[in-house]
Amino acid sequence: MRAMRLATLSAGDKGSHAKQHPGSFRYVSVQTGEQPLTRYQGTFKCRYGYGRAAETVNQGDTGQDFAAVRINGNVCTFVLCDGVGMSYLGDFAARFLGNALLEWLDRDQHPSSESMERLLHDLTGPASEQLEKLQPLDNSPVLLREVLMEKRSRGSQAMYVCGRIELSGAARKSRMWLAWQGDSRIRLWRGGQEQSGAFQLHCRTNERWSTLDGPVGGKPHTYEAKLSSSESIRLQLYTDGLNDLDAIQAYIPDEQIQVLLDARHTGGLEDDAAFIELEW
């Protein structure tokens, strides 16, 4: 078990996971390692962390979760994906979809449910092509090849949450737009009061994105809000590896979140965990 470590990103820090320049910040999770809880502070405040399940670490495997944040001036885009383990290479689906959603949100200043659904369908072609090239099966043992080919025929799948926040001047309201499918947690506090009911009603395990079919289990859920510049906002996203957070409404210090990521009380995480929290 790795020792508990905390990190605060300063202007001079440049690691393999995060990059910061004046007025901008980028973080992309690495699925082959852990990211201790780290804090960035600028126009937005951001906390992020990543951990693989104990079994995944012990076997030297790749994590199924993916997380990324981009901050450029008064705009923040973000994505959190949870690859479906029973699908074919769920880590690929999480990574491919996460990167594609982040690029799209950077380009589209006015995302909508229609454009989101269209994108999810359009991504199936290039995703399927990459998936087929990723792990050739020709040299695999016959029985293993048959199992893998059957799984590949059903595609690679991932649940996701993504969004775009644009802050505006003092007299105008800011805009927050979110989209999701799956059971990753979305929690929102406005003025210190949690208002997460709308998300909890529509977080369903049978919903996800597939490289074969696009949206599965229904259309993407979306949420849009106009926010007052005088209102304090906290948005928290995490995958089911951190489900211990579900019952906690109070603000949790960095050290306590890191304790959950380390999960010494259970001998390591029981599932992969990705965490993003934004405040403005």
Side-chain angles (χ1 to χ4, degrees):
M1 181 59 60
R2 62 188 172 84
M4 184 174 72
R5 295 186 292 131
L6 296 176
T8 300
L9 189 67
S10 67
D13 289 331
K14 289 188 178 180
S16 59
H17 305 290
K19 293 183 179 180
Q20 179 181 354
H21 303 285
S24 68
F25 166 75
R26 294 190 175 196
Y27 162 70
V28 179
S29 62
V30 175
Q31 293 171 296
T32 54
E34 281 53 59
Q35 170 64 54
L37 189 80
T38 304
R39 177 185 291 269
Y40 162 80
Q41 185 160 338
T43 306
F44 296 86
K45 297 177 183 177
C46 178
R47 296 195 294 176
Y48 56 93
Y50 185 94
R52 292 173 297 164
E55 182 180 1
T56 303
V57 174
N58 292 337
Q59 294 179 356
D61 287 342
T62 301
Q64 299 275 315
D65 292 355
F66 178 88
V69 180
R70 289 183 184 176
I71 298 173
N72 187 13
N74 66 338
V75 176
C76 175
T77 55
F78 51 88
V79 64
L80 187 82
C81 295
D82 184 352
V84 177
M86 295 304 292
S87 70
Y88 180 71
L89 299 181
D91 61 300
F92 167 81
R95 184 172 62 254
F96 180 94
L97 180 63
N99 282 314
L101 289 175
L102 203 62
E103 293 295 333
W104 175 68
L105 288 166
D106 272 352
R107 294 193 310 268
D108 194 335
Q109 297 183 13
H110 302 285
S112 67
S113 56
E114 293 79 12
S115 60
M116 175 73 180
E117 186 177 2
R118 187 164 55 249
L119 173 72
L120 293 175
H121 283 291
D122 290 346
L123 290 173
T124 57
S128 296
E129 289 178 11
Q130 286 195 29
L131 188 62
E132 190 152 349
K133 297 175 183 177
L134 197 61
Q135 190 180 50
L137 305 179
D138 297 343
N139 297 324
S140 302
V142 175
L143 291 177
L144 176 60
R145 184 166 67 246
E146 290 177 354
V147 171
L148 292 175
M149 287 182 68
E150 196 276 331
K151 289 188 73 172
R152 191 168 71 180
S153 70
R154 299 199 304 267
S156 182
Q157 300 179 348
M159 304 178 190
Y160 65 88
V161 182
C162 66
R164 189 179 197 275
I165 303 163
E166 185 169 359
L167 306 183
S168 55
R172 293 159 43 199
K173 292 191 174 184
S174 303
R175 178 176 185 254
M176 177 175 68
W177 186 89
L178 301 173
W180 71 94
Q181 282 186 290
D183 63 1
S184 293
R185 277 50 162 191
I186 308 170
R187 303 181 67 180
L188 176 68
W189 286 263
R190 300 178 67 165
Q193 299 297 313
E194 185 169 7
Q195 300 182 11
S196 304
F199 309 117
Q200 293 169 357
L201 286 173
H202 301 289
C203 287
R204 298 165 183 161
T205 305
N206 68 322
E207 296 182 345
R208 69 278 307 268
W209 174 80
S210 164
T211 59
L212 187 64
D213 301 311
V216 174
K219 296 183 177 183
H221 302 284
T222 59
Y223 173 89
E224 185 172 358
K226 299 291 182 66
L227 307 169
S228 169
S229 59
S230 62
E231 192 175 21
S232 64
I233 307 295
R234 180 160 63 101
L235 177 66
Q236 188 179 87
L237 314 173
Y238 54 94
T239 55
D240 47 11
L242 285 174
N243 58 14
D244 284 346
L245 291 173
D246 290 352
I248 305 175
Q249 292 188 336
Y251 184 86
I252 307 173
D254 297 359
E255 293 83 358
Q256 293 182 23
I257 296 176
Q258 186 63 53
V259 167
L260 296 178
L261 283 169
D262 288 331
R264 293 179 178 176
H265 55 296
T266 57
L269 288 166
E270 296 178 353
D271 199 351
D272 297 334
F275 175 87
I276 296 173
E277 184 180 79
L278 297 163
E279 291 183 77
W280 63 95

